[in-house]
Amino acid sequence: MKILIVGSGGREHAIAWKTAQSPKAEKIYCAPGNAGIEEYAECVPIGPMEFEKLASFAKEKEIDLTVVGMDDPLVGGIVDVFEKEGLRIFGPRKCAAVLEGSKAFSKDLMKKYGIPTAAYENFDDPEKALAYLEKADFPIVLKADGLALGKGVLICNTLAEARDGVKSIMMDKQFGNAGNRMVIEEFMTGREVSVLSFVDGKTIRCMTSAQDHKRALDGDQGLNTGGMGTFSPSPFYTEEVDAFCRNYIYQPTVDAMAAEGREFKGVIFFGLMLTEKGPRVLEYNARFGDPEAQVVLPRMKNDIVEVFEACIDGTLDKMELEFEDNAAVCVVLASGGYPVAYEKGHVIHGLEQFENREGCFVFHAGTKRTEAGIVTNGGRVLGVTATGADLKTARANAYEAVKLVNFEKAYCRSDIGKAIDEA
């Protein structure tokens, strides 16, 4: 098969790496890709939102399967464009990708179908949002309705902070049009867990659990980022929690989307909060998590191409997912200043030390190949991932591996997976 992957981050590198292991994958392309993905795929300079160009390329190269890694093209309707052209593609249609594309939609869906989540209100008028805050309990959470690179969530401890948050999201448009509407919801406390799942419209097959670290600095301080590291599995995701989520969250979400005429095929990412009252949905994503994919896919035994095809064909009920009985930890190496201002173009040293290194991977996110070598080309640059017999071993292996690679002004959190010690 000829396979096209759409995207350019660490998630897409992990997908390309896993796809390359399939006997079905004869040739892999990636648009636009990055310097790491080049090892497994031929990278082509087409942007992820250039749907017509991507479709033309798929026709020209007789692509058998396209896999979309990123949220923007899915929410924008790339699957609809490809299907109209008779092209086979993995991912939800635009009407289903709204599950991630609009937080207001997803909250209303959960409310309508009784899926446990935080209490909330939706607003498209900043003055009404401000008036609501006058009687609210704090802390409280403000969320831009649309896509905001994982950064459109503000936790406000005081009324003054919340007022500033409404101003930045809805008036100053800090997150662009994503802030045209806003969700204000109750602040939940507990352990956060991520569960990615494959869906074929009716059947859902959950992957192993993971836990992300969103804040930029140690101790969960600093600004929200796209993710500074993750580990899998989560020791807090017990069999009891899993049973509850399957009965009251996972399948009900798939059924709700089908009932709304929005059949979902692809990956649903469940962001969960394990509260004292039980698991609650924090958010949905309509694709693989980043960096969750970097710890989940290395543990997955299945041929991922077969799973992609089962989701498209509606035959997922005939398949079971299998994962290694081990653990994985990913530490993100970022550019100094991320997630605000940061420099690009610094040469990355030490990448060759990861070649043929057992149980150790470096997934490229913001990288580019130049005459000077592979250089930094984004905020999150590399995801250094290691496996181990258990979480503590995987964590130690990951931080040893981080020492192998460096670039000017690189930084990473030193406490990824520290919660393991409390389990």
Side-chain angles (χ1 to χ4, degrees):
M1 292 175 65
K2 295 179 182 178
I3 298 170
L4 170 64
I5 297 169
V6 178
S8 61
R11 165 185 48 219
E12 286 76 34
H13 189 176
I15 293 170
W17 169 81
K18 187 67 177 173
T19 299
Q21 296 171 22
S22 171
K24 293 191 169 190
E26 299 170 17
K27 172 74 176 179
I28 304 173
Y29 296 92
C30 189
N34 62 39
I37 293 173
E38 289 176 353
E39 183 179 350
Y40 307 101
E42 180 180 330
C43 294
V44 293
I46 305 176
M49 299 302 290
E50 296 181 287
F51 299 167
E52 300 299 336
K53 286 185 179 181
L54 288 167
S56 295
F57 177 84
K59 283 184 172 180
E60 177 193 340
K61 297 295 183 180
E62 298 181 330
I63 299 296
D64 299 294
L65 172 66
T66 297
V67 178
V68 186
M70 299 175 66
D71 47 8
D72 282 335
L74 289 170
V75 172
I78 187 173
V79 172
D80 304 68
V81 171
F82 270 56
E83 287 184 343
K84 187 177 179 182
E85 296 295 327
L87 295 164
R88 195 164 167 82
I89 185 167
F90 174 81
R93 297 182 182 121
K94 184 174 184 177
C95 69
V98 70
L99 190 65
E100 175 174 7
S102 171
K103 292 182 177 66
F105 169 85
S106 66
K107 295 294 287 190
D108 287 347
L109 183 86
M110 287 184 272
K111 184 177 182 179
K112 180 176 179 179
Y113 290 92
I115 297 167
T117 187
Y120 75 100
E121 293 289 343
N122 296 328
F123 296 92
D124 53 19
D125 180 342
E127 295 302 327
K128 289 182 179 178
L130 289 168
Y132 175 83
L133 290 171
E134 295 294 330
K135 298 178 182 179
D137 295 325
F138 291 87
I140 203 163
V141 183
L142 311 185
K143 294 182 176 182
D145 177 54
L147 300 178
L149 299 173
K151 302 168 191 172
V153 178
L154 303 178
I155 298 172
C156 304
N157 292 304
T158 66
L159 178 58
E161 286 181 15
R163 286 170 175 161
D164 289 342
V166 170
K167 182 175 184 295
S168 64
I169 292 174
M170 300 194 76
M171 299 175 183
D172 299 340
K173 301 294 185 186
Q174 180 182 350
F175 306 109
N177 290 333
N180 289 345
R181 297 181 76 193
M182 186 175 69
V183 176
I184 300 180
E185 68 176 33
E186 90 178 278
F187 177 76
M188 296 188 292
T189 58
R191 296 285 183 182
E192 287 190 41
V193 176
S194 304
V195 176
L196 282 63
S197 62
F198 289 106
V199 182
D200 72 353
K202 295 179 181 177
T203 301
I204 183 168
R205 290 287 184 263
C206 294
M207 299 178 231
T208 185
S209 62
Q211 195 164 326
D212 190 15
H213 298 66
K214 281 288 186 188
R215 296 298 187 107
L217 306 175
D218 281 8
D220 290 327
Q221 300 298 306
L223 297 172
N224 262 349
T225 71
M228 291 301 296
T230 189
F231 59 89
S232 173
S234 168
F236 309 105
Y237 188 78
T238 63
E239 289 184 7
E240 182 182 10
V241 170
D242 179 64
F244 178 93
C245 291
R246 288 177 187 274
N247 288 328
Y248 298 102
I249 294 175
Y250 303 153
Q251 191 65 50
T253 297
V254 176
D255 294 343
M257 290 296 284
E260 293 291 310
R262 299 173 182 270
E263 181 185 62
F264 193 105
K265 291 187 175 186
V267 170
I268 297 181
F269 170 130
F270 294 91
L272 306 171
M273 179 70 80
L274 308 184
T275 75
E276 289 183 351
K277 297 179 181 179
R280 300 287 184 268
V281 177
L282 270 176
E283 64 175 356
Y284 294 115
N285 290 325
R287 36 71 189 180
F288 283 99
D290 186 345
E292 287 89 351
Q294 289 90 304
V295 290
V296 170
L297 293 184
R299 299 185 58 221
M300 183 176 166
K301 292 182 179 181
N302 302 71
D303 180 332
I304 198 168
V305 175
E306 291 183 352
V307 183
F308 290 151
E309 293 196 292
C311 290
I312 295 170
D313 296 334
T315 58
L316 198 57
D317 61 323
K318 298 179 174 63
M319 180 176 290
E320 295 296 334
L321 298 185
E322 295 183 82
F323 291 85
E324 299 285 353
D325 184 19
N326 64 357
V329 172
C330 173
V331 178
V332 171
L333 270 178
S335 298
Y338 173 77
V340 189
Y342 54 85
E343 299 173 0
K344 297 181 181 181
H346 294 303
V347 177
I348 304 170
H349 303 283
L351 291 170
E352 70 284 350
Q353 297 192 64
F354 288 87
E355 294 175 10
N356 302 315
R357 195 176 184 90
E358 187 70 26
C360 194
F361 321 91
V362 59
F363 293 114
H364 292 228
T367 68
K368 184 169 79 171
R369 187 177 297 278
T370 68
E371 290 183 3
I374 296 177
V375 302
T376 63
N377 193 46
R380 292 188 296 169
V381 179
L382 302 170
V384 179
T385 299
T387 57
D390 53 40
L391 282 165
K392 289 185 179 180
T393 305
R395 183 173 186 261
N397 291 344
Y399 275 105
E400 279 300 309
V402 165
K403 298 174 184 176
L404 300 175
V405 64
N406 65 84
F407 52 88
E408 190 176 334
K409 297 185 179 178
Y411 88 95
C412 68
R413 282 183 55 164
S414 66
D415 62 347
I416 302 301
K418 193 174 181 181
I420 296 163
D421 301 331
E422 303 165 25

